Amino acid sequence: MWITDTWKDYEVLDTGDGEKLERWGDYLLIRPDPQVIWHAPRKDREWKHPNGHYHRSSKGGGSWEFFDLPEQWDIRYDLAIGKTLTFRLKPFQFKHTGLFPEQAANWDWCGKRIADAAQSGRQIKILNLFAYTGGATLAAAAAGAHVTHVDASKGMVTWARENAAASGLAEAPIRWLVDDCVKFVERELRRGNHYDGIIMDPPSYGRGPKGELWKLEDNIHDLIRLCAGLLSEDALFYLINSYTTGLSPAVLTYMLSTELKARGGRVESSDIGLPVTKTGLVLPCGSTGRWETTS
């Protein structure tokens, strides 16, 4: 498992009975997590005095209950390449805060490869699809890449730009695009454009700006095949992340290997996770597949 264990402003304090207790900077949140199927005493005072608690509804969905929590606050992450990113957090629907902390393991992996390649003076172009609030985009830009950031949600792209400004990257070479990711990739292929690295974190289900339906199991292999055609001759990497139950690391490895075998290189896939302070165990948080050149 690839473990994200270098955060200073975030930690999973404890888990139990379908929920996780987290510290986001100075604030404590309790949120549901479907992986947490075990019981726990939950005797620590932090469980009893959170700043926010997202309650699941038996009818589906849920709602936040807030206790002395600001509408917005910042946390920071120190990248392995020596740069610091700042993220604006805003708890909103579906239990989210605007950030998936476990993804820092992928930010560091991509950032190091970009920074190493950029040392030679090479201009690195990165495509980030389903880019959400921009964690991977900012990590790539901080490492020296020109980044194309694509997400179907205008609100998420606006939020990502706020994170860029907070991180001192407002003037970085980032293209911010509100678009359907599949249609964008198809247009880029017709234009003959290429990228040195591709990052994607597709949802299980979703719709594009014009109602385009996305279902991961039905669409993901076709998208991987399309994106493989966008890689430059001397591409650095291809990374795909998934939170979809059933899309195991072995499946990610198979799809990447199938579409990229002609390029050689190396494919590795694994679960990603966050350490739990109280127990010392690691909470699984999805799967990641990585292809990288070995030349």
Side-chain angles (χ1 to χ4, degrees):
M1 182 182 289
W2 293 322
I3 302 172
T4 298
D5 58 2
T6 52
W7 277 97
K8 297 175 182 177
D9 281 1
Y10 172 85
E11 65 179 314
V12 180
L13 296 170
D14 200 5
T15 59
D17 302 298
E19 295 183 313
K20 55 188 174 185
L21 172 66
E22 305 164 289
R23 179 181 64 83
W24 298 80
D26 296 330
Y27 302 100
L28 301 178
L29 300 181
I30 297 174
R31 298 190 298 157
D33 191 308
Q35 299 280 3
V36 182
I37 60 175
W38 49 87
H39 299 297
R42 298 170 62 147
K43 293 182 179 180
D44 293 345
R45 69 176 300 276
E46 288 89 349
W47 279 107
K48 299 178 176 61
H49 301 284
N51 298 99
H53 191 165
Y54 188 89
H55 300 279
R56 281 286 193 196
S57 170
S58 60
K59 299 179 181 179
S63 61
W64 281 100
E65 181 181 15
F66 296 123
F67 312 93
D68 191 27
L69 185 73
E71 292 185 2
Q72 174 180 296
W73 72 100
D74 293 352
I75 65 171
R76 293 170 178 79
Y77 181 72
D78 297 325
L79 292 166
I81 59 172
K83 304 291 182 65
T84 297
L85 304 180
T86 298
F87 298 98
R88 297 274 161 88
L89 303 181
K90 311 170 191 176
F92 66 112
Q93 71 271 24
F94 308 120
K95 76 179 182 181
H96 296 306
T97 63
L99 188 66
F100 292 88
E102 63 275 7
Q103 288 301 316
N106 288 328
W107 304 340
D108 283 330
W109 184 84
C110 294
K112 184 177 187 307
R113 278 144 189 82
I114 293 167
D116 287 348
Q119 285 182 352
S120 65
R122 174 182 171 187
Q123 184 181 106
I124 309 299
K125 292 175 60 181
I126 301 297
L127 174 61
N128 187 13
L129 299 171
F130 309 97
Y132 197 51
T133 59
T137 293
L138 302 187
H146 290 236
V147 187
T148 298
H149 173 112
V150 187
D151 197 278
S153 169
K154 182 178 180 180
M156 291 300 105
V157 174
T158 298
W159 195 339
R161 297 188 74 157
E162 292 174 4
N163 285 335
S167 299
L169 295 167
E171 303 303 320
I174 303 171
R175 284 201 300 162
W176 305 100
L177 302 177
V178 179
D179 204 344
D180 176 78
C181 290
V182 176
K183 291 186 176 180
F184 174 79
V185 169
E186 291 172 341
R187 290 197 303 273
E188 288 291 87
L189 286 167
R190 291 194 296 269
R191 295 166 182 146
N193 288 335
H194 293 91
Y195 295 88
D196 303 304
I198 295 174
I199 303 165
M200 64 170 71
D201 191 354
S204 298
Y205 300 93
R207 290 190 180 273
K210 298 181 180 179
E212 302 89 345
L213 180 64
W214 166 272
K215 185 177 180 182
L216 188 73
E217 294 91 334
D218 295 341
N219 301 116
I220 187 58
H221 195 183
D222 288 340
L223 181 58
I224 289 174
R225 180 182 295 116
L226 286 173
C227 287
L230 288 180
L231 289 172
S232 62
E233 288 187 9
D234 51 353
L236 302 175
F237 64 80
Y238 190 149
L239 182 146
I240 177 170
N241 188 76
S242 173
Y243 292 100
T244 301
T245 302
L247 198 65
S248 68
V251 173
L252 294 176
T253 292
Y254 187 85
M255 289 191 292
L256 287 171
S257 298
T258 298
E259 299 308 324
L260 299 171
K261 61 184 177 182
R263 289 179 168 269
R266 176 173 56 242
V267 175
E268 292 183 293
S269 299
S270 178
D271 295 319
I272 56 174
L274 290 162
V276 181
T277 302
K278 178 73 173 180
T279 62
L281 301 177
V282 177
L283 178 66
C285 304
S287 303
T288 294
R290 301 167 175 173
W291 170 85
E292 64 177 316
T293 183
T294 52
S295 57

